[in-house]
């Protein structure tokens, strides 16, 4: 669906590890009215691919530009293989960029190994899908300085998820609008500071 406002936030799922079908897993879609629109997903919980498809069909499912992960608990990343592979099957023609805390590169590397058969069959033998669309470019967030991505400013924030370290939130700025989002957290001065103004 086309972005009608400068910066749009859609809660795709707000659940937790309990598999409740009417809540889906944690996942938030951010759309910035760049040209073409920039689509950022924060976390890929259970059912995130289904929610994207329901919301915007093939175009939205295959059109995620960047996945930001808040932390590596399974309920925040279990939908990543579906987002990655089904997005490719439905037309993604460029790499899926993934950024997150320490361990994110190990996660995506493991997924590439786990799904190597499927990637080989769909890319080389059966459907001959373009190899560029199944690439995942992964980067560990080590600095909490702002990142520029397609004209959108993303500022990673450390939050307090107890022993789970690092756990991140993100401030997204575009077109004079801002939104601050977090994964699981307790009271966090960093989050309050990032949301000021």
């Amino acid at each position: 669906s086309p972005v009608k406002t400068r910066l749009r936030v859609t809660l795709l799922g707000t659940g937790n590890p309990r598999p409740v079908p009417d809540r889906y897993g944690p996942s938030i879609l951010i759309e910035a009215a760049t040209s073409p629109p920039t689509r950022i997903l924060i976390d890929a919980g259970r059912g995130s691919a289904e929610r994207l498809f329901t919301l915007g069909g093939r175009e939205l499912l295959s059109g995620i530009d960047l996945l930001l992960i808040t932390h590596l608990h399974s309920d925040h990343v279990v939908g990543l293989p579906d987002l990655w592979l089904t997005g490719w099957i439905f037309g993604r023609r460029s790499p899926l960029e993934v950024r997150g805390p320490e361990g994110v590169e190990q996660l995506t590397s493991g997924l590439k190994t786990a799904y190597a058969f499927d990637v080989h069959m769909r890319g080389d033998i059966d459907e001959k899908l373009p190899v560029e669309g199944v690439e995942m470019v992964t980067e560990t967030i080590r600095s909490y300085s702002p990142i520029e991505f397609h004209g959108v400013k993303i500022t990673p924030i450390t939050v307090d998820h107890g022993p789970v370290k690092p756990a991140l939130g993100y401030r997204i700025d575009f077109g004079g609008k801002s939104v601050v989002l977090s994964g699981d957290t307790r009271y966090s001065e960093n989050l309050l500071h990032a949301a000021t103004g």
Side-chain angles (χ1 to χ4, degrees), residues 4 8 12 17 21 29 31 33 35 42 82 84 87 93-94 107 114 119 128 133 142 149 158 169 171-172 180 190:
K4 294 184 175 81
R8 182 167 64 184
L12 300 174
L29 174 64
E31 295 174 282
S35 184
I42 298 179
D82 197 10
W84 168 48
R93 299 288 183 258
S94 58
L107 172 69
V119 169
K128 306 272 189 195
R142 292 187 171 87
F149 184 82
T158 56
R171 177 178 170 127
I172 312 289
V180 176
N190 286 346

Side-chain angles (χ1 to χ4, degrees), residues 116-167:
F117 176 83
D118 186 65
V119 169
H120 169 64
M121 290 304 295
R122 292 182 191 280
D124 301 326
I125 308 296
D126 194 11
E127 292 140 283
K128 306 272 189 195
L129 296 173
V131 69
E132 299 82 18
V134 77
E135 295 296 322
M136 265 195 293
V137 176
T138 308
E139 187 177 323
T140 299
I141 294 173
R142 292 187 171 87
S143 163
Y144 301 101
S145 302
I147 301 162
E148 288 292 328
F149 184 82
H150 298 196
V152 177
K153 180 179 167 186
I154 301 165
T155 306
I157 308 153
T158 56
V159 297
D160 184 0
H161 189 12
V164 179
K165 295 183 189 321

Side-chain angles (χ1 to χ4, degrees), residues 78-101:
V78 72
L80 175 53
D82 197 10
L83 173 72
W84 168 48
L85 294 170
T86 308
W88 176 48
I89 292 166
F90 277 82
R92 189 175 50 252
R93 299 288 183 258
S94 58
L96 175 63
E97 294 198 38
V98 181
R99 296 185 188 174

Side-chain angles (χ1 to χ4, degrees), residues 70-71 157-169 182-191:
T70 61
H71 65 288
I157 308 153
T158 56
V159 297
D160 184 0
H161 189 12
V164 179
K165 295 183 189 321
L168 303 174
S182 178
D184 302 341
T185 187
R186 299 172 178 167
Y187 177 86
S188 169
E189 286 289 339
N190 286 346
L191 196 60

